[in-house]
């Protein structure tokens, strides 16, 4: 079974939702037969790379809330994150373009290091003081910690079109599936789960999707074939 997760590194509920989903997956009896694929979604597409601002300022401008409301929202997110064992800085974070991070995540997937890089990006953005926005060398450092070659990462970052099509394809697909927010979980292209649901919801979704998988039906299954005992050879 395949689970695809659309998310953004700038999305705090994606950070929390990933932890809740992984808690459910860890207890799922068939977890070894579940493939998890992370897909790109930008909350702020088209934002310039050098357009970086404090999170609180972004929230007040984008959503029209007061500074006190924005700070209360961050405090609530900090509590939610702590309940999942996640560190979260409620003050002093900033916000910017995540496009380059998504490009690097596609590169990391090719190298078999996507999950490692995603986890490091989340932690760096939500728990560490040094910003992940507008600083290529910061991304190179994190990618290196994920096991990627630093020079190869610099090459990707230096070419704005490298893996750009892959990011945009993920975002088009999200729109086609009806995802207008993240996190968005798709199980075997049959069930969708929106938002950072409790682990119990993910458990039910995994169980239901697994139980309703369609068995393979063979057509003309008696033709000659090769198997562990050799190949069937027609007799003269």
């Amino acid at each position: 079974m395949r689970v695809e997760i659309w998310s953004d590194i700038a999305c705090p509920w994606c950070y929390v939702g990933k932890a809740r989903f992984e808690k459910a997956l860890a207890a799922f009896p068939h977890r070894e037969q579940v493939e998890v694929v992370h897909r790109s979604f930008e909350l702020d597409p088209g934002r310039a790379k050098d357009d970086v601002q404090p999170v609180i300022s972004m929230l007040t401008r984008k959503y029209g809330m007061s500074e006190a409301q924005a700070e209360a929202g961050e405090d609530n997110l900090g509590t939610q994150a702590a309940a999942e064992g996640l560190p979260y800085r409620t003050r002093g974070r900033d916000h910017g373009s995540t496009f380059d991070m998504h490009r690097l995540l596609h590169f990391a997937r090719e190298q078999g290091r996507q999950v490692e890089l995603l986890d490091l990006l989340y932690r760096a953005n939500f728990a560490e003081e040094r910003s992940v926005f507008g600083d290529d060398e910061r991304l190179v450092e994190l990618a290196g910690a994920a096991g990627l070659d630093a020079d190869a990462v610099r090459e990707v970052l230096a070419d704005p079109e490298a893996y750009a099509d892959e990011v945009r394809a993920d975002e088009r697909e999200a729109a086609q599936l009806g995802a207008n927010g993240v996190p968005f979980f798709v199980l075997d292209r049959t069930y969708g789960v929106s938002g950072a649901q409790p682990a119990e919801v993910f458990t039910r979704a995994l169980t239901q999707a697994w139980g309703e998988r369609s068995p393979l039906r063979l057509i003309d299954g008696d033709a000659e074939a090769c198997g562990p005992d050799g190949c069937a050879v027609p007799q003269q």
Side-chain angles (χ1 to χ4, degrees):
M1 184 167 71
R2 169 181 279 202
V3 178
E4 297 163 278
I5 306 173
W6 273 263
S7 59
D8 191 12
I9 299 90
C11 164
W13 288 119
C14 297
Y15 180 49
V16 172
K18 180 175 181 291
R20 291 174 177 173
F21 170 76
E22 288 176 347
K23 182 184 294 184
L25 183 61
F28 186 56
H30 309 287
R31 60 188 178 278
E32 298 301 327
Q33 295 167 270
V34 178
E35 176 192 13
V36 179
V37 177
H38 293 277
R39 300 208 179 276
S40 301
F41 189 106
E42 293 172 275
L43 289 174
D44 207 349
R47 190 183 187 96
K49 184 172 181 175
D50 60 356
D51 184 4
V52 180
Q53 67 180 131
V55 165
I56 297 298
S57 298
M58 180 275 293
L59 292 172
T60 58
R61 293 176 187 175
K62 186 172 183 177
Y63 300 107
M65 59 179 64
S66 69
E67 186 171 315
Q69 288 173 321
E71 289 178 346
E74 283 293 285
D75 290 339
N76 176 56
L77 280 162
T79 299
Q80 299 280 346
E84 304 304 327
L86 299 173
Y88 190 98
R89 295 178 67 232
T90 60
R91 300 291 186 275
R93 293 191 303 108
D94 56 15
H95 176 79
S97 171
T98 57
F99 188 61
D100 282 350
M101 297 179 218
H102 285 297
R103 295 195 300 116
L104 285 180
L105 285 166
H106 277 279
F107 169 67
R109 183 183 176 191
E110 287 186 350
Q111 309 300 313
R113 310 299 294 177
Q114 186 187 53
V115 174
E116 290 82 358
L117 179 57
L118 182 60
D119 285 342
L120 286 168
L121 288 171
Y122 272 141
R123 181 169 290 266
N125 183 42
F126 291 108
E128 298 176 7
E129 290 188 18
R130 185 177 170 190
S131 177
V132 295
F133 299 105
D135 182 355
D136 283 358
E137 281 305 305
R138 174 62 164 150
L139 297 183
V140 171
E141 173 189 297
L142 292 168
L148 297 170
D149 178 76
D151 289 336
V153 170
R154 289 189 181 95
E155 288 182 13
V156 172
L157 291 172
D159 178 2
E161 290 306 310
Y163 299 95
D165 287 346
E166 287 83 348
V167 175
R168 293 167 184 143
D170 277 357
E171 293 175 338
R172 285 194 301 271
E173 197 163 14
Q176 291 165 1
L177 290 169
N180 52 19
V182 284
F184 189 70
F185 303 77
V186 177
L187 292 75
D188 261 357
R189 292 297 171 108
T190 303
Y191 292 98
V193 179
S194 180
Q197 300 285 350
E200 309 83 71
V201 174
F202 290 120
T203 297
R204 290 199 299 271
L206 287 166
T207 301
Q208 187 167 350
W210 182 269
E212 295 185 13
R213 290 178 308 143
S214 298
L216 186 69
R217 289 183 284 183
L218 294 176
I219 299 174
D220 292 332
D222 294 331
E224 291 81 5
C226 294
D229 298 324
C231 298
V233 179
Q235 301 297 313
Q236 297 293 335

